[in-house]
Amino acid sequence: MKEKRRQNLWLPALRAAFPYTVPIFAGFWFMGLAYGLLMSKEGFAFYWPMLMAMTVFSGSVEFVAVKLLVGPFNLVQSFVITLFICARHLFYGISMLDRFRGMGWKKIPLIYGMCDETFSINYTTRVPVGVDRGLFMLWVTILDYVYWVTGAALGGLVGPVLSFSTKGLDFVMTAMFVVIYVEQWLKERNHWGSVLGICLAILFLLIFGKDRFVVPTMFAMLVCFMGVRQKIEIKEEKQ
């Protein structure tokens, strides 16, 4: 009886989570395929892209790691580059503290598997009534993880026999984030947060340049949102 009840919780959560991950499936398979091809081009065996995807699970770092692995190894430089690229996850983690509370064992895979796309869905999506919230978030995390690992594995397998230019494929991820942003805009009662985020991003882009503006922007957004959060929540409760 307990096993049947558990199955009844898992399946509705999977059905609810899967449609939200379909755009990520397309993006991750394209990018994972490009990553696998790049690893193959640099002389790595077919299984390395899959192993890197399973253990590192950070697309940006994995692409950078290809150059770090084939060049002279510098431990300090590699650590600093990786930390800088992934620093935005600190802010993701802070934002998810309340949502991960009381998750039990599910908290470990949720933390390990949290990437930009998974965070966007789990943070903004309203889980359907009757669906377990923890299992919904866990399925989103698992599906996105599987998409990326299988895409990278496929790229590693076909890399030795297939060759084509991957230029422009990275725009798939940009397009996907634009869609997520638009969907969030349509769900909002007011758009002050979305407008503030765009303005801060443009400001720090002009100040720091395209390669260094992400972390300062995230920090500024965190400070601004924490400063006005209570006032906004009180205002929305009165509406």
Side-chain angles (χ1 to χ4, degrees):
M1 181 68 70
K2 186 180 293 185
E3 189 67 27
K4 185 176 180 181
R5 182 185 176 188
R6 187 179 302 167
Q7 184 179 9
N8 290 338
L9 292 175
W10 281 81
L11 290 179
L14 174 59
R15 295 192 196 100
F18 176 71
Y20 289 96
T21 66
V22 171
I24 297 175
F25 167 73
F28 271 21
W29 258 49
F30 272 111
M31 292 298 293
L33 180 65
Y35 169 67
L37 291 172
L38 179 61
M39 288 282 284
S40 177
K41 181 180 177 182
E42 293 293 343
F44 290 92
F46 72 93
Y47 51 82
W48 278 112
M50 181 180 66
L51 293 177
M52 289 283 288
M54 292 174 63
T55 55
V56 179
F57 192 56
S58 177
S60 302
V61 173
E62 288 173 52
F63 275 96
V64 173
V66 177
K67 298 300 179 183
L68 295 176
L69 290 172
V70 298
F73 183 70
N74 186 317
L75 178 61
V76 175
Q77 181 185 15
S78 301
F79 174 77
V80 172
I81 291 175
T82 303
L83 179 63
F84 183 80
I85 293 175
C86 294
R88 64 190 185 280
H89 291 89
L90 296 172
F91 304 102
Y92 296 167
I94 293 174
S95 302
M96 296 299 289
L97 286 176
D98 290 337
R99 287 169 169 77
F100 285 170
R101 186 173 289 115
M103 290 292 180
W105 65 268
K106 293 187 285 293
K107 185 184 297 185
I108 296 176
L110 286 172
I111 293 173
Y112 177 78
M114 186 169 63
C115 59
D116 300 344
E117 296 76 14
T118 300
F119 166 78
S120 299
I121 295 177
N122 286 339
Y123 187 81
T124 62
T125 302
R126 294 182 180 179
V127 179
V129 178
V131 175
D132 184 273
R133 183 170 63 91
L135 292 179
F136 174 89
M137 297 169 66
L138 183 61
W139 272 122
V140 170
T141 304
I142 292 174
L143 289 170
D144 289 350
Y145 180 82
V146 171
Y147 298 155
W148 178 254
V149 172
T150 53
L154 181 62
L157 287 171
V158 302
V161 297
L162 182 65
S163 178
F164 68 95
S165 176
T166 59
K167 184 178 181 181
L169 285 179
D170 52 348
F171 185 75
V172 172
M173 308 305 289
T174 303
M176 184 182 68
F177 276 114
V178 171
V179 172
I180 294 174
Y181 178 86
V182 172
E183 289 182 349
Q184 179 64 17
W185 178 282
L186 295 175
K187 293 178 182 178
E188 295 172 343
R189 292 183 181 179
N190 56 71
H191 307 296
W192 71 270
S194 299
V195 174
L196 177 61
I198 290 292
C199 292
L200 289 174
I202 294 174
L203 174 63
F204 286 103
L205 174 63
L206 296 175
I207 296 174
F208 295 101
K210 65 178 182 179
D211 295 326
R212 297 182 177 88
F213 82 102
V214 174
V215 174
T217 300
M218 296 291 288
F219 181 77
M221 290 172 62
L222 178 64
V223 172
C224 292
F225 292 155
M226 290 181 63
V228 299
R229 175 182 176 182
Q230 188 174 2
K231 295 180 180 180
I232 296 299
E233 288 179 348
I234 294 174
K235 184 177 180 180
E236 289 184 349
E237 288 176 0
K238 292 180 179 180
Q239 291 179 350

